[in-house]
Every structure is written in C-alpha cells, then in structure tokens.
Amino acid sequence: MSERILDEPQSLYRLDSLGMFDALYHLSEQCRRAWELGTALTVSARDEIRQVLVTGLGGSAIGGDLLRVFAGRRLPVPVTVNRDYVLPEFVGRRTLVFAVSYSGNTEETLSAYRQAQDKGAQVVVLTTGGKLKEMADRDGVPVITVPGGISPRAATGYLFLPTVAVLQRLGLIDPVDGQVDELIRHLAGMREELKPEIPREENRAKQIAARFYRCLPVIWGASGTSEVVAQRWKGQINENAKAPAYWNVFPELNHNELVGFQEPEELLRRLQIVILRDAHDHPRVQKRYAITREIMGGAVAGITEVQSTGEGELARIYSLIYLGDYASVYLAALYGIDPGPVKVIDHLKARLAEE
Ligand code: F6R
C-alpha cells in the first residue's frame, strides 16, 4: 500500500468498516457520557474496603490498569488487575471487585465474576449487556450499563472512567471532576490535530505510523506514569494494524532490555523505539532517557520521544493514549488493513465455545 493513503481521508474511511476513526473522533463525548454513567450509580460500601480488584481481559482490562496507576497515588488500598478465570486468594468481603466486559460474554470474566460472588466480595459490573449483565441483574449486583456498538478497545472511556467515579462516590478518592472536565476538553482539541483530514506534515499520529511502517515498534513508558500507555500502544498496534509490537518500562528496562541491542543486526535495523514521556516521570527516570539514548547509539532504526500534553494526570495520560490509538489506525491503513475486525480473536472465542 502506498504511503499516500495517509493523505487521502476518503480512502482511510473506506478501509475502516467498523468506524474506528469515528469512535476515536468521539472519545471526548464518550468520556463525558462515561463520567455521567459512573457518577449516577448509587453505591455504598457494605464492609470497609481493603482492596480493589478489576477483573477483565483485553480492551476491558486496560481500564483496570489505568485505574491501578491513577488510583495508586490516591488510594490507601491496593488496586490489582486480574486477567484470568481465577481470582487471587485475598479476595473476600472487604474487596471491591469491578467485573468489566464490554460484550458481557467473555468466559474468563464470567468465571471471575462467579468467584467474586461466591467469596462475598462487593461487586460492581461494567458492561454493555450479555450474560454478565443477566447474572448481575439476577444477583442484585449494581451494573453500570454503557452503550454498545463499538469495539471494546475503542471504549476505554466507558471501561475506565466509571470505575474512577465509583471510587469517588465511595469516598475512597478525592473528587476529580475538574480533571475529567479538562480531559474532555483536551481530547476535543487534540482530535482536530490528529483526524484524517489533517495532512501528514502537521499530523503527529500519521508521522508516527509512517515511522512504524515495515518496522517493529517497541514502546517504552515509565512506571507510575505512562506504563499502561506503553502496553496500550502495543495492544492497539496488534489489534488495529494486525502487526507485532513490544513494550517495556523505565527504570526496569535499564536493568535488562537495554543490554539486548547488539544482535541480530538485521533485526535491530528494523526496530522503531518510542519513548513516552510525562512531566511527572520520576526525576531520576528523566535522566535515564538521555543516557539510554546515548548507550543505544545508532543500534536501531530510530528512537522517537513523545511528550504528554495537558495539566491533570487524566488529560496527560489520555493525550498519549489518544496519539497511539490514532497512530495504530493509520498504521493499519499503511498496510491496507481494515483496523476494526479482529477475526483471530473472534475465531478463537468461537473455537473455545465448541470445546
Ligand atoms: C476487541 C478487544 C478485545 C476484547 C477482549 C475481551 O476490540 O479489544 O481485547 O476486549 O477479547 O472482550 P470483552 O471486552 O467483550 O470482555
């Protein structure tokens, strides 16, 4: 596919059968609605909450990671993300469990939900419907029902912000309404710079996609700030562009991955590294970026730094997510691939259902 497609909005839209560009464009409105839905839920804690656990998979789990990082600095109790059929042993009456599944039919999440109920945990369900909603309604468990019709990975606003709203509602974190307002405004501004109609020379997401094209993207974030974003970029490249990608975090990668850039040379020449930077990265981590680049020298095809924008933590983190989401859809276009359908996941789920 010619790189010219990046500057042909109509061709970009034509390739996109499930409206990924449209969902991306409306992320700001999605966040507003998600916050309304979350804050509207009447919920109270039956027992003192000692742990928070989010159980989900894929696009429905990444919101849990966002919560882990976001609430990690605000909550006196730990937040854990569970991507499995089985819940950890610590889950009990004093655990707040968010069971999150966009479709409401993911078997691992249904199994974890049942366990949470058996263990007497305080459960809140976040879904569009499916079996999860049926079970929760039957069990009298509070449900936040979010609108369907988009891909789970395009629904991060719906799958993350309501969990923050519930923590706020329960008095576990200080109000963050101001941050949410800023997030909504910030996304509405960013989309005017990232949408298909903005030409490549002015569009950061298209430029990043062009760098990734025919290369292997490696995304580096930093613990406590952009770590989830690095994972998100990887997942979005996989699911939207149907291409491999890898991620890691500072400072951990300075203790292992950094050593591994000597061989094989042919492969290293195809690596494109992106470093996700945030003003609140630990000061010692900020020093590591330059030293790491110095050590890397010219070992890989390229290293690009991306800086978050916005004031509050939510706007800053989402500014990086948004850029990566757009870049992954442009990368799909460069490969001539429809970003929406994930036939491999659908096939796997269907095959499992037969077993
Ligand atoms: C598809 C996607 C997947 C799903 C995952 C779990 O767009 O992002 O990663 O999120 O297969 O399905 P749900 O979200 O329906 O529980």
Side-chain angles (χ1 to χ4, degrees):
M1 179 64 66
S2 154
E3 292 193 29
R4 275 203 312 271
I5 192 169
L6 289 182
D7 281 329
E8 294 167 359
Q10 288 320 316
S11 310
L12 290 167
Y13 289 123
R14 235 189 338 268
L15 200 55
D16 173 22
S17 70
L18 297 184
M20 299 300 279
F21 277 118
D22 191 56
L24 267 179
Y25 190 80
H26 291 103
L27 186 61
S28 171
E29 288 80 6
Q30 182 190 130
C31 287
R32 181 189 304 282
R33 187 76 194 115
W35 189 246
E36 284 165 4
L37 290 168
T39 48
L41 186 78
T42 314
V43 61
S44 57
R46 187 196 56 217
D47 293 295
E48 186 198 353
I49 289 162
R50 294 267 174 90
Q51 310 92 14
V52 177
L53 180 134
V54 183
T55 191
L57 276 297
S60 292
I62 200 88
D65 285 310
L66 286 169
L67 188 74
R68 176 174 59 74
V69 174
F70 183 71
R73 292 187 177 173
R74 293 176 167 75
L75 261 181
V77 300
V79 181
T80 308
V81 183
N82 186 67
R83 290 177 160 88
D84 195 3
Y85 293 87
V86 184
L87 289 177
E89 197 48 40
F90 71 73
V91 173
R93 295 184 58 80
R94 291 181 166 175
T95 315
L96 171 64
V97 172
F98 290 105
V100 185
S101 169
Y102 190 72
S103 62
N105 290 321
T106 298
E107 64 174 42
E108 298 93 316
T109 313
L110 297 177
S111 154
Y113 167 84
R114 273 189 218 102
Q115 281 187 22
Q117 282 292 94
D118 291 348
K119 284 166 171 279
Q122 302 175 67
V123 183
V124 173
V125 160
L126 185 50
T127 185
T128 59
K131 292 196 191 106
L132 187 57
K133 182 167 162 54
E134 271 171 34
M135 292 195 304
D137 285 345
R138 204 175 45 228
D139 298 340
V141 162
V143 181
I144 301 171
T145 310
V146 296
I150 53 177
S151 301
R153 63 191 183 282
T156 49
Y158 288 139
L159 299 172
F160 165 56
L161 290 172
T163 61
V164 179
V166 170
L167 295 190
Q168 177 173 312
R169 181 91 190 202
L170 290 172
L172 290 170
I173 56 169
D174 289 337
V176 291
D177 303 78
Q179 280 215 39
V180 175
D181 285 343
E182 190 213 348
L183 167 68
I184 292 165
R185 279 195 314 275
H186 198 53
L187 293 174
M190 279 186 75
R191 67 186 174 194
E192 300 307 324
E193 296 167 6
L194 301 176
K195 64 186 182 183
E197 290 75 13
I198 303 301
R200 176 171 163 177
E201 71 253 25
E202 293 159 31
N203 190 320
R204 192 86 168 104
K206 290 183 180 178
Q207 291 162 9
I208 289 171
R211 285 195 143 229
F212 286 162
Y213 184 42
R214 295 181 193 279
C215 282
L216 189 60
V218 175
I219 320 298
W220 287 346
S223 285
T225 50
S226 58
E227 57 178 84
V228 184
V229 186
Q231 183 178 3
R232 168 76 177 176
W233 276 46
K234 177 224 183 276
Q236 290 292 80
I237 293 167
N238 297 154
E239 290 191 56
N240 291 336
K242 283 71 179 173
Y246 295 90
W247 69 285
N248 208 337
V249 288
F250 285 95
E252 173 65 17
L253 71 89
N254 277 167
H255 299 270
N256 36 62
E257 185 166 330
L258 184 58
V259 187
F261 288 98
Q262 283 184 21
E263 294 292 346
E265 275 181 40
E266 326 70 91
L267 190 64
L268 294 175
R269 279 199 295 272
R270 307 294 275 188
L271 296 191
Q272 276 290 349
I273 295 179
V274 168
I275 299 178
L276 303 170
R277 300 192 58 158
D278 180 64
H280 289 231
D281 291 336
H282 192 284
R284 298 295 294 167
V285 165
Q286 307 218 24
K287 296 210 181 299
R288 286 172 185 271
Y289 297 136
I291 303 171
T292 299
R293 290 189 70 153
E294 211 176 279
I295 292 170
M296 297 284 296
V300 294
I303 304 180
T304 310
E305 292 193 9
V306 173
Q307 183 74 43
S308 64
T309 55
E311 287 294 317
E313 197 178 343
L314 284 180
R316 295 200 322 274
I317 291 307
Y318 260 91
S319 73
L320 292 173
I321 291 180
Y322 209 31
L323 180 63
D325 283 6
Y326 263 109
S328 67
V329 180
Y330 289 129
L331 182 60
L334 283 171
Y335 286 124
I337 280 178
D338 183 351
V342 279
K343 291 192 188 130
V344 173
I345 300 178
D346 299 340
H347 170 75
L348 192 132
K349 286 181 178 176
R351 279 283 293 107
L352 262 173
E354 290 163 17
E355 300 289 319

